[in-house]
Amino acid sequence: NAGVTQTPKFRVLKTGQSMTLLCAQDMNHEYMYWYRQDPGMGLRLIHYSVGEGTTAKGEVPDGYNVSRLKKQNFLLGLESAAPSQTSVYFCASIASGASYEQYFGPGTRLTVT
Amino acid sequence: RKEVEQDPGPFNVPEGATVAFNCTYSNSASQSFFWYRQDCRKEPKLLMSVYSSGNEDGRFTAQLNRASQYISLLIRDSKLSDSATYLCVVNGRGGSNYKLTFGKGTLLTVNP
């Protein structure tokens, strides 16, 4: 099993550009999450999904959109990137009814200039 | 009070030292507690769950005090490989069992 994978690993955007980050998991997990991690701020939840076709806002959802059309994939979109969105983005997943251990992807380092 | 608050650190200790990290949480409805470890420029990974009776995994001991809403992690006989950021993690924000709240982390450096 590959676990949780993220695409791309690195990206540089100009202000106003758009992009989509892809998260894929092959563990048949129900719940998936997108976090951002900034120095001194810890991990902050952007959006999450409790199942295929469902999404919900987390702690810092503004400027981001998500979709979960397939159970194994969770996409994070930035419609108009801003320098404040420069961060490391982590995707994670959990199996329902489990110990709530989150499995994380390797992260995407995004710089917006 | 912040949802999950940890010692700000950083901690610099010699090999073989014992080091303790503390964490407090604000949501009394939280039911599950964890310590995660994050190496530099890597993703967080589960170190251990924290049980009400306390639990031990080799050199690592975790304790939970529900009355004080306090969690601790003790590392004995520190190794160079223990150098990492340690994240205190709590679930149950707003009663949700499947949403985890992460502390900002405490950086540990073990020196030779």
Side-chain angles (χ1 to χ4, degrees):
Chain A
N1 286 352
V4 181
T5 58
Q6 292 183 232
T7 310
K9 288 187 170 52
F10 304 92
R11 185 72 185 268
V12 179
L13 285 180
K14 291 188 189 316
T15 297
Q17 287 185 319
S18 63
M19 77 164 294
T20 299
L21 283 67
L22 171 63
C23 176
Q25 52 93 3
D26 60 2
M27 297 174 283
N28 202 34
H29 285 174
E30 290 292 332
Y31 306 133
M32 297 186 73
Y33 308 80
W34 276 107
Y35 295 92
R36 61 177 289 173
Q37 187 173 37
D38 303 293
M41 298 296 292
L43 280 157
R44 292 183 291 169
L45 182 64
I46 304 171
H47 285 280
Y48 65 99
S49 168
V50 301
E52 183 178 316
T54 71
T55 63
K57 293 180 181 179
E59 184 185 352
V60 289
D62 294 341
Y64 305 95
N65 57 74
V66 287
S67 64
R68 183 110 181 259
L69 299 179
K70 293 183 179 180
K71 186 177 183 179
Q72 63 267 34
N73 295 337
F74 195 29
L75 277 63
L76 178 71
L78 287 72
E79 289 188 349
S80 179
S84 60
Q85 293 178 304
T86 293
S87 188
V88 181
Y89 292 86
F90 287 105
C91 176
S93 69
I94 290 181
S96 62
S99 63
Y100 307 116
E101 175 186 355
Q102 287 198 347
Y103 293 84
F104 283 83
T108 295
R109 296 184 182 279
L110 175 65
T111 301
V112 183
T113 61
Chain B
R1 185 178 183 181
K2 292 180 183 174
E3 290 195 61
V4 179
E5 200 153 5
Q6 297 185 236
D7 286 334
F11 284 57
N12 284 281
V13 303
E15 265 188 296
T18 296
V19 61
F21 301 133
N22 301 316
C23 172
T24 56
Y25 61 95
S26 61
N27 183 1
S28 59
S30 296
Q31 298 176 14
S32 299
F33 310 90
F34 310 90
W35 284 100
Y36 276 66
R37 170 196 168 123
Q38 186 174 23
D39 293 301
C40 188
R41 302 180 73 83
K42 297 286 190 181
E43 71 273 23
K45 291 185 179 177
L46 179 67
L47 176 66
M48 59 195 301
S49 301
V50 186
Y51 303 118
S52 295
S53 54
N55 48 300
E56 189 174 304
D57 183 2
R59 298 181 293 107
F60 299 84
T61 301
Q63 298 277 356
L64 168 65
N65 184 322
R66 285 187 186 271
S68 302
Q69 294 178 211
Y70 171 89
I71 307 162
S72 66
L73 176 69
L74 184 76
I75 305 176
R76 292 182 300 278
D77 188 22
S78 300
K79 312 291 184 193
L80 296 177
S81 57
D82 293 334
S83 296
T85 296
Y86 291 82
L87 305 171
C88 176
V89 184
V90 173
N91 87 325
R93 181 195 302 168
S96 300
N97 287 331
Y98 46 79
K99 288 198 312 187
L100 302 184
T101 303
F102 289 76
K104 293 183 180 180
T106 304
L107 177 62
L108 170 67
T109 301
V110 181
N111 302 302

